[in-house]
Amino acid sequence: VERAWAIDNFHVSINDPCSAGSTPVASITAPDPLTCLCDPILVFGSAFDNEVEIANYTLEHRPFSGGSWTTFHTGSTPVLSSVLGVFEPGTLPQEDYLIRLTVTNVCGISNTDIVAVWIDQHRLRRKLAGQGFLEQDMAEFVAFRRSLQTFFL
């Protein structure tokens, strides 16, 4: 909203970009929903605002079953369809997790996107030991996907 005053031939105009209430874009495009993770993975997506600057964006994870969010990456530069950060499952217990992107603009308005993934520590340990993917892995992953599909429907 622009406000203007004229005093003795002196014109003052103030434009407040926050008055429009612009909402930032928060979008995770990879990993795909329900992806099985056993290695560090690049998180792709977008974190920007079309009308004002972003103040920051944050990538966090937590178990699907609940608990506190843990920050694993922050940034303050807009990102458009590129790498937002790296998620490293490392020593996290095997279970399903949520990855959340929160983007906040300079006006204090935030937007989020969330993707569900599955961390397979058994597969990670076998990979580190030089063993391959087992049928048990597939059965566990299929059961996990079914439980999440039921939750999101």
Side-chain angles (χ1 to χ4, degrees):
V1 171
E2 186 173 306
R3 298 181 184 141
W5 297 270
I7 303 172
D8 296 330
N9 292 328
F10 182 73
H11 183 78
V12 176
S13 179
I14 300 173
N15 186 15
D16 180 7
C18 292
S19 65
S22 177
T23 302
V25 173
S27 173
I28 298 173
T29 56
D32 290 330
L34 310 179
T35 296
C36 178
L37 304 178
C38 64
D39 294 314
I41 189 166
L42 296 175
V43 178
F44 282 86
S46 296
F48 67 93
D49 193 304
N50 284 320
E51 297 181 29
V52 297
E53 292 181 34
I54 67 166
N56 60 61
Y57 70 89
T58 305
L59 285 168
E60 303 165 289
H61 68 80
R62 76 166 173 83
F64 186 79
S65 58
S68 300
W69 291 97
T70 301
T71 300
F72 66 90
H73 183 80
T74 60
S76 58
T77 305
V79 177
L80 180 60
S81 300
S82 190
V83 176
L84 293 163
V86 178
F87 179 63
E88 298 189 33
T91 59
L92 292 173
Q94 176 168 314
E95 68 177 291
D96 40 319
Y97 284 82
L98 298 175
I99 295 176
R100 176 173 73 176
L101 167 64
T102 302
V103 182
T104 304
N105 66 20
V106 294
C107 302
I109 300 171
S110 297
N111 196 6
T112 62
D113 192 19
I114 296 176
V115 65
V117 296
W118 183 47
I119 294 179
D120 184 351
Q121 287 298 338
H122 298 302
R123 185 174 176 202
L124 177 59
R125 282 192 291 276
R126 282 193 297 276
K127 186 174 182 176
L128 292 174
Q131 300 171 352
F133 188 74
L134 302 177
E135 286 185 29
Q136 178 186 352
D137 295 322
M138 185 55 73
E140 291 173 0
F141 184 61
V142 168
F144 162 72
R145 286 183 63 126
R146 286 186 182 137
S147 69
L148 286 182
Q149 287 170 340
T150 301
F151 178 80
F152 284 111
L153 292 178

